[in-house]
Amino acid sequence: MEKITGKNNEIIKGVKKLFTSSKERKAQGLFVLEGARLVFDALNSSYEVETFLITESANEKYFDSSVQMQRKSKNSYFISDTLSQKISETKNSQGVFAVCKMKNENISLKTGQKYIALDNLQDPGNLGTIIRLADWFGVSTILASTDTADVYNPKVVQSTMGALAR
């Protein structure tokens, strides 16, 4: 695996921009997962992983899962602990990141399925909690109006605690 060392690397800048800009996420159709649990939950999901980034220390700690993610992702890179902290949205980075393709599904409502419809829900943490609870209650689909918070906002993704991957 190639190692990225410079903070001015285009991949690092791109990941940081995906974290911070809803407009960029929508334009590229990509979003970022951060942390071992979220990233490795993507192994058993239908999300396509474009890029996998991991520190060498995290690679040692999560070796088996890291090898699986390297196989699933199109591109894999080692990054330094300093770069991990630079792109991280958390106070103490675990050194594990994945850039995934957003799902663009056409939904057809079916009898017998459970749905939730959301309108104008603005708080990302609340949206993530609703997604997590919907997963627990077996809701198959969440429909959200265009004025609802960005589903791929890092705070939403984090607060789903992996439910987004399911």
Side-chain angles (χ1 to χ4, degrees):
M1 240 176 27
E2 185 182 334
K3 184 170 185 173
I4 299 173
T5 56
K7 66 180 180 180
N8 292 322
N9 180 283
E10 290 303 314
I11 295 165
I12 298 301
K13 286 196 236 180
V15 171
K16 188 63 180 175
K17 197 157 196 169
L18 289 171
F19 262 133
T20 58
S21 171
S22 176
K23 185 178 179 181
E24 190 70 19
R25 287 190 295 273
K26 288 176 186 169
Q28 291 194 37
L30 300 171
F31 71 101
V32 184
L33 297 172
E34 177 180 4
R37 178 179 179 169
L38 292 177
V39 170
F40 298 132
D41 277 352
L43 285 170
N44 299 315
S45 77
S46 60
Y47 281 107
E48 290 180 48
V49 180
E50 291 290 314
T51 305
F52 173 56
L53 303 162
I54 190 165
T55 63
E56 290 182 32
S57 57
N59 187 59
E60 288 176 23
K61 186 174 183 178
Y62 306 109
F63 185 77
D64 292 338
S65 296
S66 176
V67 169
Q68 290 176 26
M69 184 55 76
Q70 290 171 44
R71 288 186 189 126
K72 181 173 180 158
S73 67
K74 291 181 181 175
N75 303 293
S76 299
Y77 303 96
F78 283 122
I79 58 173
S80 67
D81 291 328
T82 305
L83 284 179
S84 174
Q85 279 304 131
K86 178 184 176 2
I87 61 176
S88 178
E89 289 291 301
T90 62
K91 188 175 183 179
N92 296 311
S93 173
Q94 291 182 331
V96 184
F97 305 87
V99 177
C100 301
K101 277 191 176 180
M102 292 179 178
K103 291 185 179 181
N104 209 0
E105 299 177 18
N106 292 324
I107 304 297
S108 59
L109 303 179
K110 298 175 185 159
T111 304
Q113 296 289 319
K114 295 177 185 175
Y115 301 94
I116 291 179
L118 304 174
D119 182 37
N120 197 24
L121 180 64
Q122 295 300 305
D123 185 272
N126 288 347
L127 178 55
T129 300
I130 289 170
I131 292 170
R132 187 173 72 241
L133 289 169
D135 178 52
W136 192 84
F137 281 107
V139 173
S140 60
T141 303
I142 297 175
L143 306 167
S145 64
T146 56
D147 56 355
T148 295
D150 176 8
V151 173
Y152 297 105
N153 175 305
K155 289 180 182 174
V156 173
V157 173
Q158 197 73 33
S159 62
T160 68
M161 296 177 64
L164 190 64
R166 292 184 290 277

